[in-house]
Amino acid sequence: MKKQPQITEKTRQKFIVVFCELYSQKPIEKISVQEIANNSGYNRSTFYQYFTDIYALLDAVENDLLNDI
């Protein structure tokens, strides 16, 4: 997964952006991994290469925000 760091970071960021868009529209319980993957243009297995579940993705978003502050 770390062979092309620019591509892997771009993919990770795409998942984060799509998640944030969905999270702004509905509660986390209504968001599925499949929905995030479809809207990102990747499949579910790619999502799971980066995050274990939606809550891990939420943790990553929160950590990124805290690091920026």
Side-chain angles (χ1 to χ4, degrees):
M1 186 167 95
K2 296 294 181 188
K3 291 182 180 179
Q4 299 174 332
Q6 301 88 354
I7 293 173
T8 58
E9 184 58 28
K10 181 180 171 188
T11 303
R12 181 181 180 277
Q13 287 302 316
K14 182 67 174 177
F15 285 131
I16 289 172
V17 167
V18 168
F19 170 76
C20 289
E21 289 171 359
L22 292 171
Y23 193 44
S24 71
Q25 299 168 8
K26 56 186 169 182
I28 195 166
E29 296 83 19
K30 301 283 185 181
I31 301 172
S32 70
V33 170
Q34 185 67 53
E35 185 176 21
I36 294 170
N38 288 345
N39 291 348
S40 299
Y42 298 100
N43 58 34
R44 281 185 25 223
S45 64
T46 303
F47 175 90
Y48 288 118
Q49 289 178 0
Y50 293 87
F51 306 102
T52 56
D53 59 16
I54 291 175
Y55 295 99
L57 175 51
L58 178 61
D59 285 343
V61 170
E62 290 172 345
N63 287 335
D64 287 350
L65 287 173
L66 289 174
N67 288 336
D68 288 344
I69 293 178

